[in-house]
Amino acid sequence: MEFSAELREAVLAGEITVSFRLWRRPQVRTGGRYRVGPGQIEVDSIEIVPFVSVSEDDVAAAGETDREALRWRAAHAGPIADDTMLYRIEFHPV
């Protein structure tokens, strides 16, 4: 999985454990390991959720300050409305 350069260290330190992606189809699978910079993460779960259901806990686990920052970061593939379906990926560093 790709992460912005400024997030990679926090991902590998286990400080960021959730990511939201605007994909047409899943690009990762549960149990899969993926390179992140000099390390790897393992996907624990993947599910499809509407943006409106993203909790404050998820916002923090994604390393963002608020829902709008998360919306902006996830919108690189297109605009995200409250009813836009996103992949919620939970992972840990290995």
Side-chain angles (χ1 to χ4, degrees):
M1 283 178 52
E2 293 291 321
F3 289 90
S4 301
E6 71 273 10
L7 298 180
R8 289 182 194 139
E9 186 175 315
V11 167
L12 294 176
E15 297 166 8
I16 294 177
T17 58
V18 173
S19 184
F20 290 87
R21 303 296 171 112
L22 183 59
W23 290 332
R24 292 179 191 250
R25 58 180 163 57
Q27 303 294 312
V28 298
R29 62 179 176 77
T30 300
R33 290 188 175 193
Y34 303 92
R35 180 148 308 281
V36 176
Q40 286 188 334
I41 60 168
E42 183 174 322
V43 173
D44 299 316
S45 66
I46 181 171
E47 62 183 315
I48 300 174
V49 299
F51 181 77
V52 72
S53 74
V54 174
S55 70
E56 290 302 317
D57 287 343
D58 278 342
V59 170
E64 299 297 343
T65 55
D66 57 45
R67 289 172 48 88
E68 291 311 306
L70 177 62
R71 184 190 312 256
W72 180 84
R73 186 177 299 275
H76 68 277
I80 296 176
D82 283 347
D83 62 348
T84 301
M85 300 302 285
L86 300 173
Y87 285 93
R88 180 188 181 277
I89 301 106
E90 197 164 335
F91 55 86
H92 66 274
V94 291

